[in-house]
Amino acid sequence: MKDYKLEVWVTTICFIIVAITGGFFSSFVVILNEVFYNQVPTPEALVAFYGENMFVVKENLFVMGFPLHYFLLIMFSWIGVTIVGAIWCLVMDRLEERQKA
Amino acid sequence: MEPRGEVFVLGLVLSIIVLVISVMISVWARRFTRNLGDYYVAGRSIGAVNNGLAMVSLALSLTTFIGLTALIIEGVYIAVAVYASFTAAFIGLMILAAPYLRRHKSFTTMAFISERYGSKSLRYMSVVVMMVVSVLYLAGNLKGIGIVFYFLLGVPEVVGIVVGGLVVTLYVTLGGMYGVTYNQTFQTIVLLFCLMFPVAIVLRTLGTSGWFFPPLGYGDMVPDMISFVPHYFWAMLEHPITYIAIFLGSFFGIIGLPHFVMRFFTVRDAREARWSTVICVFLVGLVNTTVYATGFAAVYFMQTSAGVDLTPAAYDYMVFILVEALAGEGWLALAVAGSVAAGLSTVSGLLMIMGAGLIHDLYGEMKPEVDDEKKLKLSYLAMFLVGVFVILFSLNPPEFILKAIMWSFGIAAAGLGVPIVLGIWWKRTNKYGVGAGMVVGSLIGFLGWIMIDYMGMNPVDIPFPFFAKYLYGPMGWIKVTVLAVTFSFILTIVVSWLTPPPPKELQRQVDEMHGWPDYDERRYNSKGLPISILVVCVFLLWFMTTLYDVFPK
């Protein structure tokens, strides 16, 4: 049961990380989006949707040419999930070897 | 965009070269096909790199060239969200299903569902669901090939559909899964080359510092995008349930789409299945970020270039418009050839699964006494007939590419994705639960498509009890996926619990799929997983009905 628990827990943790950061979180709030935009979704803000000063982007939050939140989006939804996937593969490779032994 | 008045010779020549090479690869690969296993799953001999590349070409259908860029230009942030989630979904597919499906030794998704739950009825039902999602997915792609021929090469659309359709039917019929796999690998290489290089040249012409690597060039363009479209990155213009719908559709849809899953039945073992997905997700992410860059470059181009006045209808062709305007006709010819390759690869995978579904899962189940040799001959015939049917259907499809594909993801998630995931991770799932969840889940998705997309009804007016009024907002119809997937999960779990557990020999399959040499009753049998899923599903249904006054209708 020790190996079984390892498989289930590693899989659960990896799936949650990928689902939240890569699949859901990055596509939903783009990682603390409101912090960088100084805005929350209120009806008043939506009325101002077509206004001029609704989006106040903080300066100096760029990483490698990307705004920080976008850098994080790419990191999580692409590079991040690739790395998480590779780590999961390595753990499962080792588990498979133990199962065969 | 106006169609070209004259034939674009260079583009046509490169496209024909792609078509000819595709057929040649299949003729070459035919020598490997000796039995039914070779024909449908390439003798389970494909390595991780080969399979990973083949999966990339399946993932990057013609929407990569036509559709996505338009969605980025028009769709505000949600377009990026769809593809960010789609990229990550491959790892979800790997973690939840890929290696376990490989160990099950089935040929198709439908066979897996039937054998795991011990039910012939489920096999027939899943064949029906497979046909619906495949036709939705496929017709748009073949139609897209016709449009590429018409608008970009100056060749009539019908000729494009018929020629493209016949070529792909020919090479799938001839080469079987070996031909499809090697072709998809070739097409991925063509696609990567023909997209990355022209876009890099476009970015260089626009003066981006990271032009040599489009994802970096895309980062460079973000500040410009914010200045041109200030609200672009504000994700909260949509009810959060929209993003949850995208997540559910992507993660469970990709598990449910049989032509993706079928790739895992072709690899040598579970390890190759895992690593091929990692290769695939890296390359898919690379291409998707390149397409984001193209979308941003298009907005920049339209905002800064004098005299450029494009109609929304032309946004679909922005990749080609940009390449022609900023890189030249030589690069345009490459991009056109790449788009043809992208369309062919997806069509071939779908034809393969449709043929396998009809012969292996339907005919083979009804006539078990028929030997493999006869089934192989019938497979050739079925594959050819399916190809001809799809060509005829594509001449006048109900919907074009991206929207149809998004609907097919939702239907596949509810109808096939949920039974696969629960079948792998919860022994107590039985055929009654799966039957209920599959029927209700896929019907919700299918009826949603019929009413909203096919009949053109307003999403908030469709007769979905109680929930319809919450389908408001830009692309609000995506929320139907939440209903379909959550109802599928809830019904599958609740009905399975209320009916007798599956026999031990079926439960034993779960341990075998996970690689255990022995059987242990306690494995994959806890109540924690189903209860957690039920709680999440009920929460999502409740959440969908909240914040009604906050977001734009």
Side-chain angles (χ1 to χ4, degrees):
Chain A
M1 287 300 280
K2 192 181 160 193
D3 283 346
Y4 161 70
K5 283 183 180 169
L6 175 73
E7 184 205 10
V8 170
W9 277 110
V10 170
T11 301
T12 305
I13 291 166
C14 286
F15 181 74
I16 289 172
I17 292 172
V18 171
I20 291 179
T21 61
F24 173 63
F25 203 51
S26 60
S27 63
F28 167 29
V29 289
V30 204
I31 320 297
L32 303 177
N33 189 38
E34 72 282 6
V35 173
F36 306 122
Y37 285 108
N38 288 341
Q39 291 289 332
V40 289
T42 62
E44 293 75 21
L46 288 164
V47 170
F49 172 58
Y50 297 104
E52 291 181 357
N53 57 357
M54 180 180 165
F55 298 91
V56 183
V57 183
K58 285 185 178 176
E59 293 178 354
N60 305 319
L61 282 169
F62 286 77
V63 180
M64 290 172 67
F66 295 86
L68 178 60
H69 70 284
Y70 238 62
F71 176 77
L72 291 171
L73 165 73
I74 290 179
M75 285 307 292
F76 282 126
S77 74
W78 175 29
I79 307 292
V81 295
T82 306
I83 293 169
V84 171
I87 292 168
W88 183 83
C89 284
L90 289 171
V91 174
M92 291 302 131
D93 283 354
R94 293 187 67 177
L95 183 64
E96 198 171 76
E97 280 168 19
R98 289 222 291 267
Q99 285 174 329
K100 282 176 182 167
Chain B
M1 182 187 181
E2 291 299 317
R4 295 183 83 93
E6 57 191 30
V7 174
F8 177 31
V9 178
L10 187 56
L12 192 60
V13 168
L14 284 183
S15 300
I16 290 172
I17 289 174
V18 168
L19 295 174
V20 170
I21 292 177
S22 297
V23 175
M24 285 169 61
I25 287 174
S26 260
V27 171
W28 169 76
R30 195 172 179 217
R31 69 189 65 187
F32 303 121
T33 303
R34 294 183 185 86
N35 54 45
L36 211 57
D38 291 338
Y39 193 73
Y40 285 131
V41 291
R44 301 190 195 279
S45 62
I46 305 298
V49 175
N50 204 343
N51 196 53
L53 288 171
M55 280 173 64
V56 173
S57 77
L58 269 185
L60 304 173
S61 60
L62 205 49
T63 56
T64 309
F65 287 86
I66 298 176
L68 174 56
T69 317
L71 207 61
I72 286 176
I73 296 169
E74 290 175 334
V76 194
Y77 176 72
I78 196 170
V80 176
V82 168
Y83 273 74
S85 199
F86 178 58
T87 309
F90 279 93
I91 297 299
L93 164 67
M94 176 181 77
I95 288 174
L96 293 183
Y100 314 110
L101 289 169
R102 172 60 189 86
R103 288 201 191 99
H104 192 263
K105 297 184 171 57
S106 305
F107 276 9
T108 63
T109 296
M110 296 72 77
F112 168 79
I113 289 174
S114 168
E115 287 160 24
R116 164 65 183 87
Y117 296 111
S119 166
K120 280 187 183 181
S121 306
L122 282 180
R123 185 184 289 248
Y124 302 142
M125 284 158 60
S126 50
V127 168
V128 173
V129 177
M130 178 276 291
M131 291 300 282
V132 169
V133 297
S134 298
V135 168
L136 272 177
Y137 209 113
L138 203 153
N141 267 286
L142 205 47
K143 173 84 175 173
I145 294 175
I147 289 174
V148 167
F149 270 73
Y150 179 57
F151 280 97
L152 300 166
L153 298 174
V155 175
E157 187 179 319
V158 174
V159 175
I161 292 174
V162 173
V163 170
L166 282 178
V167 166
V168 76
T169 302
L170 184 67
Y171 81 65
V172 171
T173 307
L174 279 179
M177 187 51 100
Y178 274 113
V180 167
T181 303
Y182 294 128
N183 260 308
Q184 287 175 339
T185 304
F186 161 71
Q187 284 150 359
T188 295
I189 294 164
V190 171
L191 196 153
L192 285 172
F193 183 81
C194 294
L195 181 68
M196 302 285 289
F197 282 85
V199 170
I201 300 296
V202 165
L203 293 176
R204 189 180 66 174
T205 311
L206 288 174
T208 331
S209 58
W211 64 269
F212 50 90
F213 187 57
L216 283 181
Y218 147 74
D220 285 347
M221 309 211 70
V222 170
D224 292 319
M225 197 70 176
I226 291 172
S227 67
F228 295 140
V229 192
H231 58 271
Y232 194 90
F233 296 104
W234 205 41
M236 294 303 285
L237 287 173
E238 295 268 0
H239 190 302
I241 202 73
T242 309
Y243 298 100
I244 295 173
I246 291 170
F247 159 69
L248 291 173
S250 304
F251 273 61
F252 294 100
I254 204 166
I255 294 172
L257 281 166
H259 63 295
F260 283 111
V261 168
M262 200 173 181
R263 287 247 49 94
F264 294 114
F265 296 122
T266 68
V267 290
R268 289 186 204 118
D269 54 32
R271 186 174 183 276
E272 304 282 320
R274 287 192 289 268
W275 285 104
S276 64
T277 320
V278 175
I279 293 167
C280 167
V281 76
F282 178 77
L283 292 174
V284 167
L286 178 65
V287 173
N288 284 344
T289 45
T290 301
V291 180
Y292 304 160
T294 315
F296 289 13
V299 174
Y300 184 86
F301 176 66
M302 287 192 292
Q303 296 280 347
T304 56
S305 305
V308 175
D309 184 23
L310 297 169
T311 60
Y315 294 169
D316 273 341
Y317 310 98
M318 277 313 295
V319 173
F320 308 108
I321 293 171
L322 278 179
V323 171
E324 186 169 28
L326 301 173
E329 287 212 328
W331 293 108
L332 174 66
L334 269 185
V336 171
S339 67
V340 171
L344 291 180
S345 59
T346 308
V347 173
S348 66
L350 285 157
L351 279 183
M352 194 71 215
I353 188 66
M354 288 168 83
L358 289 176
I359 296 301
H360 179 263
D361 295 310
L362 211 58
Y363 181 79
E365 190 64 38
M366 288 190 286
K367 302 249 183 192
E369 70 279 4
V370 174
D371 60 32
D372 278 4
E373 198 175 332
K374 189 175 178 191
K375 276 190 202 163
L376 182 59
K377 285 177 185 165
L378 282 170
S379 297
Y380 287 119
L381 180 67
M383 214 66 80
F384 181 75
L385 292 177
V386 167
V388 172
F389 163 75
V390 170
I391 290 169
L392 295 175
F393 185 76
S394 302
L395 293 174
N396 188 22
E399 181 54 72
F400 176 65
I401 304 197
L402 200 54
K403 245 175 137 184
I405 288 178
M406 286 160 94
W407 277 107
S408 72
F409 263 84
I411 300 169
L416 300 172
V418 171
I420 291 173
V421 171
L422 286 176
I424 291 170
W425 290 99
W426 191 41
K427 280 178 182 166
R428 185 66 175 74
T429 320
N430 66 18
K431 60 183 176 185
Y432 308 109
V434 168
M438 184 188 286
V439 169
V440 173
S442 49
L443 269 182
I444 289 174
F446 185 64
L447 289 177
W449 174 73
I450 289 281
M451 289 187 282
I452 296 169
D453 223 38
Y454 193 68
M455 294 170 65
M457 294 171 73
N458 188 337
V460 297
D461 293 333
I462 61 171
F464 265 152
F466 185 63
F467 285 103
K469 75 172 190 173
Y470 301 107
L471 302 178
Y472 58 84
M475 297 174 78
W477 52 268
I478 285 184
K479 297 173 201 163
V480 173
T481 303
V482 175
L483 297 180
V485 175
T486 52
F487 274 105
S488 182
F489 266 123
I490 291 170
L491 279 169
T492 306
I493 290 170
V494 171
V495 175
S496 291
W497 242 326
L498 296 176
T499 47
K504 280 286 178 290
E505 62 267 24
L506 295 181
Q507 296 194 37
R508 189 177 293 275
Q509 289 181 24
V510 178
D511 280 22
E512 288 168 2
M513 277 189 279
H514 288 265
W516 303 107
D518 58 335
Y519 176 73
D520 190 328
E521 177 78 30
R522 293 169 298 169
R523 290 192 202 117
Y524 315 105
N525 222 354
S526 79
K527 291 187 174 65
L529 177 70
I531 289 173
S532 307
I533 293 173
L534 283 179
V535 169
V536 171
C537 288
V538 172
F539 171 77
L540 291 181
L541 289 174
W542 166 79
F543 186 48
M544 189 174 167
T545 64
T546 61
L547 305 173
Y548 186 71
D549 295 324
V550 175
F551 294 94
K553 303 293 179 289

